[in-house]
């Protein structure tokens, strides 16, 4: 049997735009919460098999883009395999712990020199952690190339009726920095404090990193 949907009960207006994509949020600092963590490994030659976590953040209420989600790939090591600094590691875990990044780096360096393992929050402990994200807007090359390929596959007549895709229409947010919660500056609440709570995550540490 078919299904009948009462559209009179549908909230808002129905968009006629396809794709379900959102314009990127304006560059700035946003309060956010970790809502999902997936473990994996890098596949690139430079960092092949280096463990990582794909962290999904949700923009906190009281800001433009509330509930928007954005992901950030974080290596589970203070340095890349070539020895270069893995700043995402230091930023994310210092923010979750609620301490300045420099203090976290000093702690990691001291434990490495002492040949001690580093205890970190596991995936469960990370859930609910609140941080400040610095977002920037960059070109979405993948989406642009996909749209361009689809346009070029159209017949000449169809192309004449459509505008070719432009790079400026295909942009996305990326995370350029992660800091302790409470430093957001996008649409603050009436009391002047950044939107969203400012508590640090639980400091229970059950993941051990061999430095």
């Amino acid at each position: 049997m078919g299904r009948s949907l009462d559209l009179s009960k549908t909230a808002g207006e129905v968009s006629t735009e396809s794709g379900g994509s959102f314009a990127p949020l304006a560059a700035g600092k946003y309060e956010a919460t970790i809502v999902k963590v997936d473990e994996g490994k890098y596949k690139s030659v430079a960092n092949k098999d280096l463990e990582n976590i794909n962290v999904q953040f949700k923009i906190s209420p009281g800001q433009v883009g509330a509930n928007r989600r954005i992901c950030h790939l974080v290596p589970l090591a203070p340095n890349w395999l070539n020895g270069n600094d893995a700043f995402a590691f230091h930023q994310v875990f210092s923010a979750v712990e609620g301490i300045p990044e420099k203090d976290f780096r000093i702690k990691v360096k001291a434990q490495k020199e002492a040949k001690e393992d580093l205890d970190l929050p596991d995936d469960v402990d990370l859930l609910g952690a609140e941080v400040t994200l610095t977002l920037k807007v960059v070109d979405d090359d993948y989406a642009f190339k996909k749209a361009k390929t689809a346009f070029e596959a159209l017949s000449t007549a169809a192309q004449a009726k459509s505008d070719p895709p432009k790079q400026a229409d295909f942009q996305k947010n990326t995370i350029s920095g992660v800091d302790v919660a409470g430093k957001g500056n996008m649409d603050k609440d009436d009391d002047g404090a950044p939107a969203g709570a400012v508590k640090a995550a639980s400091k229970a540490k059950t993941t051990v990193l061999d430095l």
Side-chain angles (χ1 to χ4, degrees):
M1 295 179 62
R3 187 192 306 271
S4 179
L5 181 64
D6 184 355
L7 294 177
S8 67
K9 297 180 180 179
T10 301
E13 294 188 11
V14 177
S15 172
T16 59
E17 298 299 322
S18 62
S21 60
F22 294 95
L25 299 175
K29 294 181 180 293
Y30 294 80
E31 299 303 308
T33 303
I34 295 177
V35 294
K36 186 178 180 182
V37 180
D38 292 318
E39 297 181 356
K41 293 182 179 181
Y42 289 99
K43 298 180 180 179
S44 64
V45 175
N47 292 291
K48 187 172 178 58
D49 292 332
L50 178 64
E51 294 183 337
N52 62 43
I53 50 175
N54 190 6
V55 182
Q56 186 178 109
F57 298 92
K58 183 172 73 172
I59 302 300
S60 302
Q63 304 166 104
V64 172
N67 298 321
R68 185 83 64 89
R69 301 191 181 208
I70 184 168
C71 294
H72 196 38
L73 203 57
V74 181
L76 287 177
N79 298 86
W80 298 107
L81 295 184
N82 63 3
N84 288 343
D85 184 72
F87 65 87
F89 168 84
H90 297 283
Q91 289 184 352
V92 170
F93 284 107
S94 63
V96 167
E97 194 166 331
I99 64 175
E101 180 184 341
K102 184 173 181 62
D103 291 349
F104 180 79
R105 287 176 174 274
I106 291 173
K107 181 179 73 170
V108 174
K109 180 180 177 72
Q111 290 191 232
K112 180 176 176 60
E113 292 176 347
K115 297 182 178 180
E116 298 175 349
D117 290 342
L118 178 66
D119 293 333
L120 296 170
D122 66 10
D123 297 351
V124 174
D125 290 326
L126 288 172
L127 296 178
E130 294 167 347
V131 301
T132 302
L133 301 179
T134 299
L135 300 185
K136 65 178 181 179
V137 180
V138 300
D139 289 339
D140 190 340
D141 294 328
Y142 174 79
F144 173 63
K145 290 179 181 178
K146 184 177 180 180
K148 187 177 180 182
T149 298
F151 179 81
E152 293 172 346
L154 296 174
S155 65
T156 302
Q159 288 185 11
K161 297 179 181 179
S162 305
D163 293 325
K166 301 176 182 178
Q167 179 69 76
D169 294 329
F170 295 87
Q171 296 186 313
K172 64 180 180 178
N173 287 122
T174 60
I175 296 173
S176 61
V178 184
D179 206 341
V180 295
K183 295 188 176 183
N185 60 6
M186 305 303 291
D187 294 324
K188 296 182 179 181
D189 289 332
D190 293 338
D191 60 2
V198 295
K199 69 182 181 70
S202 167
K203 294 186 179 180
K205 299 179 176 65
T206 54
T207 297
V208 178
L209 187 65
D210 185 355
L211 297 175

